[in-house]
Amino acid sequence: MSSTLLDIDSIRKQFPILHQKVNGKDLVYFDNAATTQKPLTVIDALNTYYSLHNANIHRGAHTLADRSTGLFEATRKSVQAFINANESEEIIFTKGVTESINLVAQSYGRKYLTAGDEIILSQMEHHSNIVPWQMIAEETGAVIKVIDMHFNGELDMQHYQSLLSVRTKIVSCVWASNALGTINPIKDIIDLAHQFNAVVMIDGAQAGSHIEIDVQDLAIDFLALSSHKLYGPTGLGVLYGKRKLLETMPPYQGGGEMIKEVSFEKTTYNSIPFKFEAGTPNIGDVIAFNEAIKYVTVLGKDAIAQYEQSLLTHFVNGLYALQNTFGEKAISFIGTAKNKVAVQSFVMENKHHFDIGLMLDAKGIAVRTGHHCTQPLMQFYGIEGTVRASFAFYNTVEEIDILLESLKKMLERG
Amino acid sequence: MTITEIQDDIIADFSLFEDDMESKLFYLMDLGKRLPPMTPAHQTEEYIVKGCQSKVWLFPVFEEGKLFFEADSNTEITKGLVSLLVKIWGGKTPEEIMSSELYFIEKIGMSHMIGSQRSNGFSSMIKQMKMYAFALNKAQ
Ligand SMILES: Cc1ncc(COP(=O)(O)O)c(C=O)c1O
């Protein structure tokens, strides 16, 4: 057993979904990069909200409306503290990382991009950090440039520097890659971009649950997070933006909540964050998300990261052992950067990832197989897809051994 | 053997594994490996079954009013599945194919192979084979 500050047994008790059989075997959930499971506190908060507090927020003067507004805004404050934002008004609730990026692309992009301006992305971006930029580039005549990668899954920072110029208006980059696990040096990426007065959007989908976040220290301009990858409810995310940027940006959608005054002649918009939160928001999930943030905060990102790294090391060593037995080609690692979150992608010789996924499912093991919404990255490696195991603090080395054992059996069959 | 008899045989074979899904899949892959190789010239884009996550090729051969199939897949489990369909429907008349009910898949405990995103391909294969039967029937 790896030593850890975390009490994994009692943590696992807090996640009811983990305690079930799949195909007759104990569920082993290694698809945490796709979505994380929810602790009881989050599930209970949803139940409590709909049982006791449900009311529309920022409107009626009645007691329930007051209560739900208070709880809703409390989450905004928690997110502010979680990422060390300067003010809670800089926290906007969205549907998720995807919507957060679309919001910035559509609102900031449409206002500030003109023909010939450049947007820098990286080779390892998730489709949701590619397509919104392609859409706005097509509309404005802006051009997309792509940062090259080394074979181990690290960005080519020299190439990045060579791409930066006065034409660079936006750099949008993933903090931790969902397919490779690579943690990118975003401090350097941001500092360099700022030398050219470009704004930087960080896709924090995979970083949120593993890495300590301080948006002020890193000088992040825009940060996108998804609640569901952070042990919170689905369909909810966060966009952080610096006040001075958000204030100059036009609204993204029109409707209730986002206005100050409406007449048919002229409408004036509400201030941030409400300007960007048109319509009744996802109140129940926002309120429950607070419990997820508390859960992660109480465990502590350092303790989480340390334990998850021990899981990753155990798995990687297990894969090396399989290589020793069955030959180096039997398993190829995809993503071997020095600095990684607890994600390992791999491919197996003469075995399609589709078959591996189904074989593992037969043993109750959930991994992700395919291109992980990163097709340009798969093209870089010249593969169709990978098998990806991604770990969370409720996973154990015993579970990893079950996975390794299943892979071994597949290799033995040839 | 009739379509029903062949299905019952398959069900009997798989029942030996009881609830051991891993062994069932290994067995399915072994069945796939025994599928006769396709004529390379038939393994073209035109004969890829649409709607599968993995690649599946199905080439129909009409002979004396009966339908035979050459098939292949780039994934072993799917190849195993298509080999079962070839075993059940290969060498049957279009009427037999069109009027048959496939019930073996539930009975061998693999109904999760149908309809789900993982292998909506299975339904596509069935549909494609029935289409060939329909076409042959009309041509006759
Ligand atoms: C790196 C990365 N970016 C963006 C996304 C999209 O997040 P969401 O689907 O929650 O909007 C994901 C989720 O898969 C991701 O892993």
Side-chain angles (χ1 to χ4, degrees), chain A residues 23 25 350-352 354-356 358-363 369 384 406 409-410 413-414, chain B residues 19-22 25-27 29-30 33 53-54 74-78 112-113 118-119:
Chain A
N23 286 318
K25 312 279 184 214
N350 299 328
K351 298 232 172 320
H352 198 281
F354 175 85
D355 289 325
I356 300 169
L358 283 177
M359 286 306 306
L360 294 177
D361 179 63
K363 304 279 274 182
T369 59
E384 239 185 89
S406 305
K409 208 159 165 188
M410 276 180 239
R413 299 257 321 187
Chain B
D19 288 337
D20 183 353
M21 186 57 77
E22 187 186 34
L25 290 178
F26 277 135
Y27 177 61
M29 292 196 275
D30 287 343
K33 283 186 192 132
Q53 241 192 28
S54 33
N74 66 335
T75 70
E76 292 180 73
I77 291 173
T78 311
H112 66 290
M113 293 288 183
R118 282 181 288 184
S119 41

Side-chain angles (χ1 to χ4, degrees), chain A residues 33-35 94-101 124-129 174-179 203-207 224-229 234-237 368 372-374 388:
Chain A
T35 197
T94 63
K95 280 195 304 197
V97 165
T98 303
E99 191 182 33
S100 298
I101 296 172
M124 66 177 81
E125 297 309 318
H126 189 280
H127 296 163
S128 66
N129 197 26
V174 71
W175 193 336
S177 155
N178 62 310
D203 170 354
Q206 299 297 332
L225 296 172
S226 279
S227 151
H228 74 96
K229 295 192 196 276
T234 53
L236 172 66
R368 183 63 163 266
H372 317 296
C373 298
T374 55
R388 177 190 71 187

